[in-house]
Amino acid sequence: MSSSSSFAGGSSVAAQLVLLLCVCLSSVCGYFITIDAHAEECFFDRVSSGTKLSLMFEVAEGGFLDIDVHITGPDGKKIYSGERESNGKYTFAAHMDGVYKYCFSNKMSTMTPKIVMFSMDIGEKPKTEVDKDAEATQNKLEEMISELSTALTAVKHEQEYMEVRERIHRAINDNTNSRVVLWSFFEALVLVAMTLGQVYYLKRFFEVRRVI
């Protein structure tokens, strides 16, 4: 009787873990945005003081693959500012309750739009003393599930980051290969033209001219 109850408990734990994995994989995703020349796109998140936030971004296409990034707090204080960056990751803790703004600016570009992939990870709200007392009575399984959820989020974002990097490198390789082919074709044309010119010059040089 006890073995069957243990089996049922193990099945319940496994079902909870599988459900958590599905939820995490479906809710974690990166965003792709197109930023026109002389334009700026901003996004907002309302969080509590002490909450950990992490912004990761990568310029996928456009120009020299650079973008300006700014993060501003609820009080207007600039938390982070970067110019002409291709990729990056910045983590910080909210210093007060309110709305935090992060912007991607393409104002330095005259005509080229940029495609940016980014993700903003928002950690859990800091626990109060009451929450800590309640957490002490919770099951150890919930702590493991929380850690697993955080690890899955990091893995998912890393996969998206590597996918964008692979796309950028493939585009660079294709562009380089096209230029090499065109340059080789141009060299072949120049070589053929020089060969024909030399043949014509030598033929004229050895040509016997009749004097009347």
Side-chain angles (χ1 to χ4, degrees):
M1 188 70 178
S2 59
S3 62
S4 62
S5 61
S6 300
F7 177 77
S11 301
S12 177
V13 171
Q16 292 179 17
L17 289 175
V18 171
L19 179 60
L20 175 68
L21 290 174
C22 295
V23 171
C24 290
L25 292 177
S26 62
S27 60
V28 177
C29 61
Y31 299 94
F32 285 86
I33 59 172
T34 300
I35 307 175
D36 295 328
H38 301 293
E40 184 180 59
E41 295 288 343
C42 294
F43 302 86
F44 306 86
D45 278 310
R46 180 181 296 275
V47 297
S48 301
S49 177
T51 302
K52 187 177 180 180
L53 298 95
S54 180
L55 173 67
M56 184 177 69
F57 66 93
E58 174 86 19
V59 182
E61 295 181 18
F64 295 102
L65 301 178
D66 55 350
I67 201 75
D68 294 342
V69 184
H70 306 286
I71 303 176
T72 309
D75 54 354
K77 178 182 177 182
K78 188 150 290 188
I79 300 174
Y80 175 78
S81 180
E83 295 183 355
R84 297 182 179 275
E85 297 187 344
S86 297
N87 58 77
K89 183 176 182 180
Y90 184 73
T91 303
F92 65 98
H95 60 279
M96 62 182 296
D97 295 348
V99 178
Y100 287 78
K101 178 175 71 172
Y102 42 102
C103 300
F104 300 97
S105 175
N106 193 28
K107 293 182 178 180
M108 75 288 195
S109 180
T110 56
M111 57 171 28
T112 307
K114 307 287 177 63
I115 297 179
V116 180
M117 185 278 289
F118 76 95
S119 61
M120 173 61 84
D121 293 336
I122 302 177
E124 295 183 357
K125 180 181 177 180
K127 298 179 176 60
T128 61
E129 293 299 328
V130 177
D131 294 332
K132 291 180 180 179
D133 294 339
E135 184 181 6
T137 62
Q138 291 179 354
N139 196 321
K140 184 67 176 178
L141 177 62
E142 294 183 2
E143 297 180 4
M144 297 175 59
I145 290 176
S146 179
E147 294 177 359
L148 181 59
S149 175
T150 302
L152 282 174
T153 301
V155 170
K156 181 65 175 178
H157 287 168
E158 189 66 24
Q159 288 178 341
E160 293 172 348
Y161 175 79
M162 295 304 297
E163 180 182 352
V164 172
R165 295 288 295 176
E166 189 272 336
R167 184 187 306 173
I168 294 174
H169 291 162
R170 184 172 65 248
I172 293 175
N173 290 337
D174 292 342
N175 187 31
T176 303
N177 181 66
S178 300
R179 292 187 178 186
V180 170
V181 171
L182 291 175
W183 179 251
S184 300
F185 184 70
F186 174 75
E187 286 183 329
L189 290 178
V190 172
L191 182 61
V192 171
M194 291 180 62
T195 302
L196 294 176
Q198 289 178 352
V199 170
Y200 177 76
Y201 176 77
L202 292 175
K203 182 179 179 181
R204 291 291 303 273
F205 182 78
F206 289 104
E207 186 178 28
V208 178
R209 302 191 178 205
R210 295 180 180 180
V211 179
I212 299 178

